Amino acid sequence: EVQLVQSGAEVKKPGQSLRISCKGSGYNFPTYWIAWVRQMPGRGLQWMGIIYPADSDTRYSPSFQGQVTISADRSITTAYLQWSSLKASDTGVYYCARSSSSVNFDFWGQGTLVTVSS
Amino acid sequence: ETVLTQSPGTLSLSPGERATLSCRASQSVSNTYLAWYQQKPGQAPRLLIYGASSRATGIPDRFSGSGSGTDFTLTISRLEPEDFAVYYCQQYGRSSFTFGGGTKVEIK
């Protein structure tokens, strides 16, 4: 069974750093792209970026380039999303999702709620 | 970047009725790379349709997708109580993904 299990909810202050994780299991993790998707409170879905764990090839949405870093550790089948300096506007739910061979997102993590507030 | 515009923003219907959701792209999208998702409150999105018209595993046949080029449609033939949710279209092109703004299907 394919599963993506994300790390738990986080509460941070503006300016703090953060890394959240997404652990894949039940499939050949290195050979499927993993994407990160943001959902701000009451809003729609925004694609942030995507990584190929086999070689760490990474692509970013222009809207998120330079704002976040996506990485992966194939040895522990885990992808990461990190911020060096959080802003209040980073508050939202962040999902990881596996990209299928048809370039859609066929499996999703349960989401990680990130709250940034002073 | 390809912008996806979904309409209507909200669709108020009764169980048993037919729902027709539209997704219009700012430039032509390959059918291969057009997908639809369903999201219920507090849950992650779920893949419904990929390749514009293929149902994902386990998706009932009351869901169907159609369209090409810049105009795509998701149809729910007869709404069941569990179908009231928000629906998003999504496309891939030039190493970039975009989602539409969503259509909420609510109980009338």
Side-chain angles (χ1 to χ4, degrees):
Chain A
E1 179 195 8
V2 174
Q3 283 193 311
L4 295 173
V5 179
Q6 298 185 228
S7 50
E10 301 275 1
V11 180
K12 293 289 189 180
K13 296 185 186 310
Q16 289 186 322
S17 63
L18 174 65
R19 188 176 78 167
I20 62 175
S21 66
C22 168
K23 182 171 176 60
S25 62
Y27 71 100
N28 189 13
F29 181 81
T31 61
Y32 286 81
W33 293 79
I34 291 282
W36 287 94
V37 176
R38 181 174 79 174
Q39 188 164 40
M40 299 174 75
R43 306 295 295 275
L45 305 172
Q46 296 175 279
W47 174 69
M48 302 175 71
I50 196 165
I51 188 165
Y52 190 64
D55 61 7
S56 292
D57 184 8
T58 307
R59 318 284 171 83
Y60 292 93
S61 162
S63 299
F64 291 92
Q65 179 84 48
Q67 308 304 308
V68 296
T69 301
I70 293 171
S71 60
D73 185 339
R74 56 185 288 183
S75 70
I76 55 172
T77 67
T78 300
Y80 301 98
L81 177 65
Q82 67 182 65
W83 296 260
S84 59
S85 181
L86 286 159
K87 302 183 283 287
S89 57
D90 292 318
T91 294
V93 176
Y94 293 83
Y95 294 100
C96 63
R98 190 184 83 162
S99 179
S100 76
S101 56
S102 301
V103 205
N104 50 68
F105 303 127
D106 58 353
F107 288 92
W108 293 67
Q110 82 276 20
T112 296
L113 174 62
V114 174
T115 303
V116 184
S117 174
S118 54
Chain B
E1 179 183 279
T2 300
V3 176
L4 298 179
T5 302
Q6 291 188 241
S7 61
T10 302
L11 202 48
S12 298
L13 295 167
S14 300
E17 288 193 296
R18 181 185 189 90
T20 303
L21 288 65
S22 173
C23 175
R24 182 159 292 176
S26 60
Q27 57 190 296
S28 186
V29 172
S30 167
N31 279 30
T32 302
Y33 300 142
L34 194 286
W36 290 90
Y37 301 84
Q38 176 194 67
Q39 187 180 33
K40 297 179 181 179
Q43 296 185 17
R46 175 174 72 145
L47 177 66
L48 294 177
I49 300 288
Y50 66 94
S53 61
S54 297
R55 277 186 298 277
T57 303
I59 302 303
D61 60 8
R62 63 180 180 273
F63 291 92
S64 64
S66 63
S68 64
T70 59
D71 288 291
F72 297 89
T73 300
L74 174 69
T75 302
I76 310 171
S77 59
R78 287 178 55 86
L79 283 164
E80 297 287 340
E82 62 267 28
D83 298 337
F84 292 92
V86 180
Y87 293 84
Y88 295 96
C89 57
Q90 170 254 314
Q91 70 84 37
Y92 168 79
R94 296 184 182 180
S95 300
S96 180
F97 298 81
T98 51
F99 289 93
T103 290
K104 181 179 182 180
V105 179
E106 65 176 23
I107 299 176
K108 187 174 182 179

